[in-house]
Amino acid sequence: MRIGIDLGGTKIEGILIAPDGHQAARTRVPTPQGDYAATVQAVADLVCDLDDAAKTLGTEIPTVGIGIPGAISPTTGLVKNANSVCLIGEALDQDIAQAIGRDTRREVRLANDADCFAVSEAHDGAAAGERIVFGVILGTGVGGGIAIDGHPLSGPNAITGEWGHNPLPWPRDDERPGPKCYCGQHGCIETFLSGPGMRYDHYAEAGEQSEAVDIANKAAAGNADCIATMARYEQRLARALASVINVLDPHVIVLGGGLSNIERLYDNVPKLWDEWVFSDTVATKLVPNKHGDSSGVRGAAWLWD
Ligand SMILES: [Zn+2]
């Protein structure tokens, strides 16, 4: 059996997956805010609860995979790039393994939450059985992960798929230098394609404060300003994804995060990206995720596939 944990900014979710792939148990707790030791203990407690659930089913000790909003630096072994800042600089995998402890130290596998999303969707989700999968998170931020044959692709910097802080490609003059990003640069993809990015763009062009999903709904109802904002967003998303297709050549791109619920993206963006993909035809598919909010926790469980 497999335990998957999704350590998020507001909640920690845990799942127990049976050998046949079905969910045998599920549990969640709020994330202790700004308290590293309490966070480690909360994750360990969740693992112990799911261990007990596995025991009642009479199986061996489950494996443990954890998705985090950051990455373990291969150089230092410590967490980096986490938006839950109390995790940064900590040996999170070691500390959790120790806290689970009991009799013997248990090896845990950690991965970035966007990588877990890609693994989940490649394993038994919207890209099931596909070889090269780019999983994209379009939400409060923009992230990405890559799964190859269902396994997370990881490199020496633990930043695979992190396209959100690349510049928006093929920028128009009015997109340069682009909005300032918290990472220190201007014009990052995230500043255009995140939910706040779309909101900012709509406000700058139409003078109206509106959430991304509301803009999409109003566009569907025929609002001209919202239609124009959606068209700009889709054109930018097409450019940003074309630059990924040119490097990775994925079979499938799966969208996750709040903006992945905007249905028109799946028809419109692939019609636009041909212009920038260096190929006579583009066979890459763009699809919505299958597992929604559960993808993170399911992908974490599949880290031990
Ligand atoms: Zn940035």
Side-chain angles (χ1 to χ4, degrees), residues 223-290:
N223 179 298
D225 285 339
C226 294
I227 289 172
T229 298
M230 284 307 306
R232 285 192 303 280
Y233 185 88
E234 286 163 355
Q235 217 257 7
R236 287 165 178 157
L237 181 57
R239 276 183 267 157
L241 291 177
S243 73
V244 173
I245 295 172
N246 284 343
V247 175
L248 184 65
D249 200 9
H251 294 86
V252 182
I253 298 172
V254 188
L255 301 187
L259 279 74
S260 70
N261 296 317
I262 302 174
E263 284 175 22
R264 55 180 279 166
L265 300 180
Y266 303 98
D267 280 334
N268 294 350
V269 173
K271 286 179 189 150
L272 298 169
W273 65 24
D274 288 27
E275 190 176 341
W276 300 281
V277 176
F278 187 62
S279 174
D280 53 349
T281 58
V282 184
T284 301
K285 288 177 276 189
L286 181 69
V287 299
N289 65 80
K290 180 179 173 187

Side-chain angles (χ1 to χ4, degrees), residues 65-265:
I66 303 174
I68 64 166
I72 295 280
S73 163
T75 310
T76 64
L78 309 176
V79 174
K80 64 170 186 172
N81 292 358
N83 54 14
S84 300
V85 289
C86 79
L87 304 178
I88 293 176
E90 301 286 356
L92 183 60
D93 52 346
Q94 305 286 324
D95 291 340
I96 290 173
Q98 197 156 30
I100 297 168
R102 294 192 163 174
D103 310 327
T104 52
R105 236 167 114 112
R106 190 106 153 260
E107 190 194 344
V108 302
R109 286 186 185 169
L110 253 66
N112 176 260
D113 47 13
D115 291 340
C116 291
F117 170 76
V119 167
S120 166
E121 294 297 328
H123 192 89
D124 61 357
E130 300 280 3
R131 220 163 73 66
I132 306 176
V133 176
F134 183 47
V136 175
I137 304 294
L138 298 174
T140 313
V142 171
I146 296 167
I148 306 291
D149 294 323
H151 300 285
L153 182 68
S154 60
N157 305 298
I159 54 168
T160 314
E162 287 297 344
W163 67 316
H165 297 279
N166 280 3
L168 183 73
W170 300 283
R172 299 184 315 248
D173 287 346
D174 65 350
E175 292 170 334
R176 274 191 295 252
K180 185 155 178 54
C181 184
Y182 74 88
C183 76
Q185 303 291 344
H186 278 85
C188 291
I189 285 172
E190 177 167 302
T191 66
F192 290 100
L193 297 183
S194 63
M198 190 201 283
R199 203 168 58 206
Y200 174 82
D201 178 59
H202 185 67
Y203 181 70
E205 295 290 329
E208 183 191 42
Q209 295 276 10
S210 222
E211 294 298 323
V213 172
D214 296 331
I215 294 168
N217 288 339
K218 281 191 256 181
N223 179 298
D225 285 339
C226 294
I227 289 172
T229 298
M230 284 307 306
R232 285 192 303 280
Y233 185 88
E234 286 163 355
Q235 217 257 7
R236 287 165 178 157
L237 181 57
R239 276 183 267 157
L241 291 177
S243 73
V244 173
I245 295 172
N246 284 343
V247 175
L248 184 65
D249 200 9
H251 294 86
V252 182
I253 298 172
V254 188
L255 301 187
L259 279 74
S260 70
N261 296 317
I262 302 174
E263 284 175 22
R264 55 180 279 166
L265 300 180

Side-chain angles (χ1 to χ4, degrees), residues 30-46:
T31 307
Q33 295 301 303
D35 185 338
Y36 178 71
T39 300
V40 167
Q41 194 56 50
V43 171
D45 289 347
L46 222 57

